[in-house]
Amino acid sequence: MPAGQIVKAISGFYYVRSETGEVFQCRARGVFKFEKKKLTPLVGDFVEYDVTGLDEGVVTSVQPRYSELTRPPIANVDQAIVVCSLREPHFQQMPVDRFLVHAEREGLDIVIVMTKRDLIEDESEIERVREIYHAAGYPVVATSIHTGEGLDEVRERLAGKVSVFAGQSGVGKSSLLNQLLPGRRLETGSVSKKLGRGRHTTRQVELLPLDSGGQVADTPGFSQLVFQGMEPTDLGACFPEMRERAAACRFRGCLHLNEPGCEVKEALLNGEIHPDRYQHYETFMNEIKEALLRRY
């Protein structure tokens, strides 16, 4: 039975790229399950399919996933490229940190890419963002599609990996991908001056091949990520700068809030953890606790 990977999904059709590079438009047959849970095929899934006609087929099975994201909905990703802009709109840390939590939860490698470098003159703005994520160990790359700054470094980090590009609408994901994918022109949109955010230009998730052998996913912009299914004790592990210190806390299962002997709070007081990152940790913790109360 032929096998391939879903590279795009639209209105119940799954576009499967075969091992020889052909693309088949497929429907799904039957109910797919992993560990007794019903499964909907996602872009990135490795599947088996039956050929039913010229360039047409039916997906018959879905292979186990090694990673999965819900927003954007995609499977089997190695790396998250979290895109944020320095201008139009200005850098917004909260949505970046939300996506970082979800990427960490799935065990993805992470690179933060800042766009529109050419719109600022003060280098300190870039250094401020790098300082926020220094303790977490995230690489931060400043780029400009107009000057070419940072694009070679992004290409190097994409080589040989399956990477998801995600960020708020208007931060320049599609414009950046247009520079990284010669011959492919993705639709781009402007930023609303009234709302300070972009119009959605990407309508669906799609995996795009790179000359380097890797793949990237263009995804719809997101405005909010919820922490569905997370427990309060899960959150600290999604902040690398907290995760590496948690073992030294006095109490197992420390939430790093008001517990005595908390190594994370000590690092915060010593300036080893950025206060904005910790503030967002507290915000996310409250959201998780409120969701648990609603659940029960």
Side-chain angles (χ1 to χ4, degrees):
M1 184 173 293
Q5 185 180 31
I6 297 174
V7 295
K8 184 166 62 174
I10 303 175
S11 301
F13 286 99
Y14 301 97
Y15 295 82
V16 179
R17 183 186 295 131
S18 71
E19 294 173 336
T20 59
E22 300 172 279
V23 176
F24 291 82
Q25 178 180 277
C26 299
R27 289 283 193 180
R29 175 186 294 165
V31 178
F32 307 111
K33 292 185 178 181
F34 288 148
E35 299 177 353
K36 300 181 179 180
K37 296 180 179 179
K38 290 185 179 180
L39 180 74
T40 300
L42 294 176
V43 171
D45 274 330
F46 294 99
V47 301
E48 292 182 333
Y49 61 97
D50 286 331
V51 177
T52 59
L54 182 64
D55 298 332
E56 294 183 346
V58 177
V59 173
T60 57
S61 69
V62 179
Q63 302 305 308
R65 299 163 178 163
Y66 60 81
S67 67
E68 178 184 344
L69 296 174
T70 55
R71 293 184 65 183
I74 188 168
N76 300 317
V77 174
D78 304 310
Q79 178 174 248
I81 307 297
V82 181
V83 183
C84 53
S85 57
L86 290 160
R87 286 288 188 277
E88 299 180 3
H90 283 64
F91 172 71
Q92 299 178 55
Q93 186 183 341
M94 178 69 82
V96 171
D97 284 349
R98 284 185 183 277
F99 190 81
L100 292 175
V101 166
H102 286 266
E104 285 285 352
R105 192 182 184 193
E106 293 301 325
L108 303 182
D109 294 334
I110 295 170
V111 180
I112 298 172
V113 173
M114 298 182 290
T115 61
K116 309 180 186 182
R117 167 67 180 85
D118 52 289
L119 296 183
I120 68 167
E121 297 180 357
D122 190 351
E123 184 73 21
S124 67
E125 292 190 44
I126 297 173
E127 292 307 314
R128 181 179 67 85
V129 178
R130 288 197 172 109
E131 179 61 26
I132 290 171
Y133 296 105
H134 174 74
Y138 295 135
V140 179
V141 184
T143 66
S144 168
I145 62 171
H146 298 293
T147 68
E149 181 178 344
L151 296 184
D152 285 342
E153 182 176 351
V154 175
R155 291 187 182 99
E156 290 174 3
R157 293 186 179 278
L158 296 175
K161 296 184 178 182
V162 178
S163 303
V164 59
F165 272 58
Q168 287 183 298
S169 298
V171 297
K173 297 190 307 298
S174 294
S175 296
L176 180 61
L177 281 168
N178 281 336
Q179 299 298 312
L180 301 171
L181 295 160
R184 178 93 184 206
R185 304 305 299 177
L186 304 178
E187 183 184 355
T188 61
S190 59
V191 175
S192 166
K193 292 182 179 180
K194 180 178 180 181
L195 299 177
R197 60 175 182 263
R199 300 178 178 88
H200 293 270
T201 55
T202 306
R203 301 297 193 267
Q204 70 277 325
V205 180
E206 182 176 3
L207 273 179
L208 308 170
L210 291 166
D211 292 340
S212 62
Q215 298 180 92
V216 298
D218 189 29
T219 67
F222 64 88
S223 58
Q224 186 176 10
L225 286 165
V226 296
F227 303 104
Q228 184 175 359
M230 286 190 70
E231 299 290 333
T233 51
D234 297 335
L235 185 60
C238 298
F239 283 73
E241 62 270 51
M242 300 183 189
R243 181 174 63 226
E244 66 183 20
R245 293 172 168 86
C249 291
R250 182 184 302 177
F251 299 106
R252 181 178 297 179
C254 180
L255 297 182
H256 320 307
L257 297 173
N258 301 309
E259 301 91 335
C262 175
E263 191 67 18
V264 169
K265 292 298 291 286
E266 186 68 21
L268 177 67
L269 292 173
N270 292 336
E272 299 168 14
I273 293 177
H274 198 279
D276 290 348
R277 286 276 287 169
Y278 183 80
Q279 182 181 358
H280 290 165
Y281 170 83
E282 289 184 308
T283 298
F284 301 160
M285 180 65 73
N286 288 334
E287 291 182 18
I288 291 171
K289 289 181 176 180
E290 289 172 2
L292 285 174
L293 289 175
R294 289 194 298 269
R295 189 190 309 174
Y296 299 111

